[in-house]
């Protein structure tokens, strides 16, 4: 199991269903499922991704046990 904070992004790709199975291994993490995102989302959804990461890290600073 992974113990450090992780935000697992799950876009609609060939690993979508397999990625869901990893959630039980995250002790201190969250999964953001994005079936509307496709491969290449790091370029095409950069602003939305940055906002999600900022929210995740801000939550860690204010509520470390919230995950």
């Amino acid at each position: 199991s992974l113990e450090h904070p992780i935000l697992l992004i799950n876009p609609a790709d060939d690993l979508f269903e397999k990625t869901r199975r990893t959630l039980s291994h995250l002790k201190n993490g969250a999964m953001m499922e994005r079936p509307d995102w496709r491969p290449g989302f790091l370029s095409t959804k950069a602003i939305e991704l940055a906002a999600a990461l900022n929210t995740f890290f801000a939550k860690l600073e204010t509520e470390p046990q919230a995950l």
Side-chain angles (χ1 to χ4, degrees):
S1 292
L2 300 173
E3 297 187 18
H4 53 283
I6 294 175
L7 177 60
L8 187 60
I9 312 243
N10 192 14
D13 61 12
D14 56 329
L15 298 174
F16 186 79
E17 291 300 325
K18 291 177 178 151
T19 301
R20 284 181 163 177
R21 290 186 252 163
T22 64
L23 189 56
S24 64
H25 298 284
L26 298 177
K27 288 185 177 183
N28 191 21
M31 182 179 296
M32 184 174 86
E33 289 195 338
R34 293 307 307 246
D36 56 322
W37 289 8
R38 303 285 182 253
F41 73 91
L42 294 175
S43 298
T44 61
K45 302 292 186 181
I47 293 171
E48 292 172 64
L49 177 60
L53 292 172
N54 285 334
T55 300
F56 177 77
F57 290 122
K59 190 173 189 176
L60 282 177
E61 287 180 0
T62 59
E63 305 173 53
Q65 302 303 323
L67 298 176

